[in-house]
Amino acid sequence: MVELRRARSASVRQVLGVKSMWDIGPSERWPLVVLIVDEAHTYFRDHKGSDQQTKKLAALAAENARLVEDLVKKGRSVGLLVILTTQKSTGDAIPTFIRDVCPVGLSFAQKTAEAAVAALGDEIREWPDANPINLQDPTYVGVASMNHQSQPGFTRIRTPYVPDAEAARIAEETAYLTADPNALLEAVLGPRMADVDLTKLEA
């Protein structure tokens, strides 16, 4: 995914004639790529210990964080959207250098003010009506508090319940819209450029 991001960053002006893909929107030639990292905290877990296995896991978590940071910070303008989902949004679960550059935050019910702040930032304290700690009642099932960098404050949204059978039907009917990121990378670079150093190309 990072290689695809670098290839797109290096070629977006030449291929699309614009600096940002959003100036013209996604197309069959340059489709929107969505990366969903479910239970994201499991990939960034801070492993403590001096034994070989723990060091290996800590190095892997650090590499995961580095790659995801690259995608979150640099992917949007070239049509690469990252969605991180987690039940634990504290700084020790999702590195703050990643969480703080995500332009949209969304949180369902939280049990503590600290958890609400971890999910949505300290500003949520100033918007008590939208604070997710007030969403504990069964009436608020499917309701979340949301912020967006394009507007101040927070708002509540309600997400509809989608039965498993309906979700499966939608997935099956839209499966033709999906593509292998490796195929997208080759479409940008061409098969002869598979071994190109993309960091140098991007620079």
Side-chain angles (χ1 to χ4, degrees):
M1 294 296 283
V2 171
E3 288 179 0
L4 176 60
R5 197 281 304 160
R6 288 173 174 163
R8 281 189 165 193
S9 294
S11 61
V12 63
R13 287 181 183 272
Q14 179 181 355
V15 176
L16 300 182
V18 293
K19 181 180 178 182
S20 171
M21 182 276 286
W22 297 105
D23 290 339
I24 58 175
S27 63
E28 186 173 350
R29 183 183 188 191
W30 196 285
L32 174 67
V33 178
V34 181
L35 171 64
I36 301 174
V37 186
D38 193 21
E39 300 294 352
H41 58 275
T42 62
Y43 299 97
F44 308 126
R45 182 179 166 194
D46 188 15
H47 297 272
K48 303 288 188 183
S50 57
D51 61 280
Q52 204 62 30
Q53 180 64 18
T54 301
K55 287 181 178 180
K56 186 176 180 181
L57 290 171
L60 181 59
E63 179 69 355
N64 288 340
R66 183 186 70 80
L67 295 174
V68 171
E69 181 187 20
D70 178 285
L71 295 172
V72 170
K73 284 185 173 180
K74 302 176 182 178
R76 288 192 299 272
S77 64
V78 293
L80 210 158
L81 176 66
V82 181
I83 299 174
L84 303 174
T85 69
T86 179
Q87 296 182 51
K88 186 181 180 186
S89 55
T90 53
D92 63 325
I94 304 293
T96 54
F97 60 82
I98 293 175
R99 192 185 65 217
D100 292 347
V101 294
C102 292
V104 178
L106 185 149
S107 176
F108 290 94
Q110 297 286 357
K111 291 185 178 180
T112 67
E114 291 72 23
V117 169
L120 297 171
D122 198 61
E123 190 183 1
I124 189 61
R125 298 182 193 274
E126 301 170 22
W127 297 80
D129 290 343
N131 199 309
I133 61 173
N134 298 318
L135 303 178
Q136 296 293 327
D137 190 277
T139 306
Y140 296 112
V141 170
V143 176
S145 297
M146 178 180 175
N147 71 335
H148 192 284
Q149 64 181 9
S150 66
Q151 60 188 34
F154 298 81
T155 188
R156 284 183 180 173
I157 63 167
R158 183 181 292 274
T159 59
Y161 171 72
V162 181
D164 289 348
E166 180 68 4
R169 181 191 66 78
I170 294 170
E172 185 175 342
E173 290 181 1
T174 59
Y176 72 95
L177 295 171
T178 63
D180 181 348
N182 286 317
L184 295 177
L185 178 61
E186 187 171 303
V188 174
L189 292 178
R192 294 184 180 180
M193 295 187 68
D195 297 323
V196 167
D197 185 342
L198 292 171
T199 58
K200 293 181 180 177
L201 184 63
E202 184 181 7

